[in-house]
């Protein structure tokens, strides 16, 4: 008698066997557990809510947005910008304009939008950027000034965007 592997192309399903009178039917073996759970997908976009909100020309306040992880290109391209070369503090404005993918109902976010945000919202976004691009934390190892015992401190607040 020729046997074929179950599920092989062209293989017919095996015919059901009938048990003899009084014989126990064998219990099928338990299904094998999945080998490994699926790996978690890399999270690249992070929602945020501005403390005050960006006010557009029509007076609409935009608070809810999304920021994506930064790439090396995002950090290098602004260095060629004349505004950044003349004033290094402008770097964060240009950089945030590249990584904020949405803000409220605005059709597009760019450095001109970031430039016109309230200072508290800019500070929030700078901290949020540091948090998501540093694996979600901004911890630093320090030594206690009194006992010299080492410990870690959270530099960016206890929640994303909190300072």
């Amino acid at each position: 008698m020729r046997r074929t592997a179950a599920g092989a192309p062209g293989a017919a399903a095996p015919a059901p066997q009938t048990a003899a009178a009084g014989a126990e039917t064998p219990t099928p073996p338990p299904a094998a557990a999945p080998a490994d759970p699926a790996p978690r997908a890399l999270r690249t976009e992070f929602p945020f809510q501005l403390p005050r909100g960006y006010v557009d020309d029509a007076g609409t306040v935009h608070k809810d947005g999304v920021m994506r992880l930064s790439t090396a290109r995002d950090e290098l391209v602004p260095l060629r910008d004349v505004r950044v070369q003349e004033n290094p503090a402008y770097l964060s404005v240009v950089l945030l304009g590249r990584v904020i993918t949405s803000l409220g109902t605005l059709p597009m976010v760019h450095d001109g939008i970031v430039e016109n945000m309230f200072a508290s919202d800019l500070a929030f976004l700078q901290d949020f950027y540091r948090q998501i691009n540093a694996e979600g934390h901004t911890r630093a190892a320090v030594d206690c000034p009194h006992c010299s015992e080492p410990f870690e401190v959270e530099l960016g607040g206890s929640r994303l965007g909190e300072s």
Side-chain angles (χ1 to χ4, degrees):
M1 178 168 138
R2 182 175 175 195
R3 295 185 181 201
T4 58
Q17 296 179 349
T18 55
E24 288 185 32
T25 56
T27 307
D36 286 325
R40 282 185 12 193
L42 176 63
R43 185 174 172 197
T44 60
E45 291 192 328
F46 300 84
F48 63 84
Q49 186 173 58
L50 295 174
R52 295 196 191 276
Y54 169 74
V55 182
D56 65 17
D57 293 336
T60 305
V61 179
H62 305 273
K63 292 184 101 172
D64 296 317
V66 176
M67 184 183 296
R68 66 173 171 77
L69 289 177
S70 179
T71 64
R73 178 181 216 90
D74 291 323
E75 295 199 352
L76 293 172
V77 168
L79 297 175
R80 294 190 302 236
D81 191 304
V82 174
R83 298 167 296 178
V84 173
Q85 292 172 353
E86 291 174 0
N87 182 1
Y90 206 77
L91 174 64
S92 65
V93 171
V94 177
L95 184 55
L96 289 170
R98 292 179 62 87
V99 297
I100 297 172
T101 58
S102 69
L103 183 61
T105 58
L106 295 173
M108 185 174 153
V109 182
H110 50 80
D111 53 15
I113 301 283
V114 177
E115 185 177 35
N116 288 301
M117 289 183 174
F118 295 113
S120 58
D121 289 335
L122 178 61
F124 169 87
L125 290 169
Q126 289 169 330
D127 186 48
F128 190 71
Y129 175 90
R130 281 190 296 272
Q131 294 254 346
I132 68 171
N133 285 288
E135 293 294 324
H137 63 80
T138 51
R139 289 190 280 267
V142 295
D143 293 330
C144 175
H146 302 291
C147 67
S148 299
E149 193 68 25
F151 65 98
E152 286 188 345
V153 294
E154 183 68 39
L155 299 175
S158 59
R159 294 183 304 179
L160 282 179
E162 181 180 332
S163 49

